[in-house]
């Protein structure tokens, strides 16, 4: 079989939103928690596909995308572009108060109205950032490692010295994976652990 790792194509968009939802509860399926299934993807997938599609890679064995990694080369520039182009229409579509307080949907709507800025100490030497999610059938087979390696190569070729990510304290499996791949702790802020590593092999 040829490698299932390939660049993102626009037809993958729906599958990637779905993967985001099905891994959105600290790595577990979050679909039962959301009334609006696309909400998580609108925050954690959509802007990367729209603004940095050349850094989006997927796993596809011929049955459709089952995993992805997404990246932003320059986190500050990405945040500013989202503020100008991505969040305003989403905020109109999802006004504050449209979901019951305390619901998963309300949490994500609050986030898109006030998206957190990556801390200065994190972006200083690790200006890029990434997301990675694989459906259960793709997990544990070395594909996460391969996706990260392919993304690091692209970020390095584009001139980035370092990449960071934020992971929830409730996802120890992912934290172990990142540490195993050479990511080290940059900052612990509340429930979020920021990890980073150089883009060199
Ligand atoms: C976390 C995730 C991306 C890891 O990808 P994966 O394909 O399952 O991991 P791999 O099989 O490529 O593992 C790569 C290496 O890390 C090691 N590893 C994986 N998890 C580990 C852990 N918790 N602790 C220590 N090592 C770990 C593997 O043993 C493997 O080692 P080797 O290559 O030296 O033999 C994937 O499981 C996933 O998508 N989970 C659900 C979504 C999620 O949690 N995303 C992260 C959100 S921040």
């Amino acid at each position: 079989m040829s490698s299932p790792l390939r660049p993102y194509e626009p037809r993958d968009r729906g599958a990637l939103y779905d993967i985001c939802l099905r891994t959105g509860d600290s790595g577990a399926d979050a679909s039962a928690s959301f009334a609006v299934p696309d909400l998580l993807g609108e925050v954690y997938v959509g802007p990367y596909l729209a603004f940095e599609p050349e850094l989006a890679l997927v796993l596809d064995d011929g049955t459709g995308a089952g995993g992805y990694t997404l990246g932003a080369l320059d986190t500050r520039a990405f945040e500013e572009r989202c503020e100008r182009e991505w969040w305003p229409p989403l905020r109109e579509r999802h006004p504050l108060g449209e979901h019951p307080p305390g619901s998963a949907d309300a949490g994500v709507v609050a986030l898109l109205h006030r998206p957190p800025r990556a801390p200065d100490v994190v972006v200083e030497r690790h200006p890029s950032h990434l997301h990675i999610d694989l459906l259960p059938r793709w997990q544990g087979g070395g594909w996460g490692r391969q996706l990260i390696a392919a993304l690091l190569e692209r970020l390095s070729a584009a001139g980035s010295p370092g990449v960071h990510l934020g992971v929830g304290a409730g996802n120890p499996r992912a934290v172990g994976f990142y540490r195993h791949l050479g990511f080290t702790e940059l900052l612990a802020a509340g429930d979020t652990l920021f990890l980073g590593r150089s883009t060199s092999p």
Side-chain angles (χ1 to χ4, degrees):
M1 183 179 89
S2 60
S3 170
L5 201 163
R6 65 165 170 80
Y8 157 77
E9 294 167 13
R11 67 182 164 100
D12 300 320
R13 189 171 178 274
L16 268 50
Y17 271 53
D18 190 57
I19 295 165
C20 180
L21 180 64
R22 292 188 186 282
T23 56
D25 179 8
S26 295
D29 191 346
S31 56
S33 306
F34 282 91
V36 181
D38 272 2
L39 257 184
L40 265 188
E42 291 283 26
V43 172
Y44 294 108
V45 176
Y48 299 87
L49 302 183
F51 303 148
E52 316 239 8
E54 64 287 346
L55 293 176
L57 301 165
V58 306
L59 295 170
D60 181 0
D61 57 7
T63 60
Y68 61 75
T69 186
L70 307 171
L73 183 65
D74 177 339
T75 296
R76 285 286 176 256
F78 180 79
E79 288 169 344
E80 282 161 24
R81 188 162 183 197
C82 285
E83 203 47 61
R84 284 194 312 273
E85 300 176 37
W86 191 259
W87 303 128
L90 259 189
R91 287 170 183 152
E92 277 193 28
R93 284 212 304 282
H94 299 287
L96 284 167
E98 72 170 353
H99 295 285
S103 64
D105 300 80
V108 177
V109 169
L111 194 71
L112 64 89
H113 280 265
R114 285 191 66 178
R117 205 169 166 268
D120 286 336
V121 63
V122 167
V123 293
E124 208 170 53
R125 290 193 304 124
H126 302 85
S128 306
H129 75 270
L130 67 81
H131 294 287
I132 181 168
D133 290 308
L134 279 58
L135 289 178
R137 69 190 172 87
W138 282 98
Q139 295 171 13
W143 294 112
R145 179 191 268 284
Q146 293 213 30
L147 280 174
I148 295 282
L151 179 62
L152 291 177
E153 206 177 294
R154 287 180 179 221
L155 291 172
S156 176
S160 171
V163 61
H164 74 266
L165 57 92
V167 57
N171 193 350
R173 178 182 178 179
V175 174
F177 163 77
Y178 294 127
R179 287 193 191 278
H180 187 75
L181 295 192
F183 287 80
T184 57
E185 182 171 335
L186 303 175
L187 179 74
D191 269 357
T192 304
L193 186 61
F194 289 95
L195 303 172
R197 64 157 282 170
S198 147
T199 57
S200 329

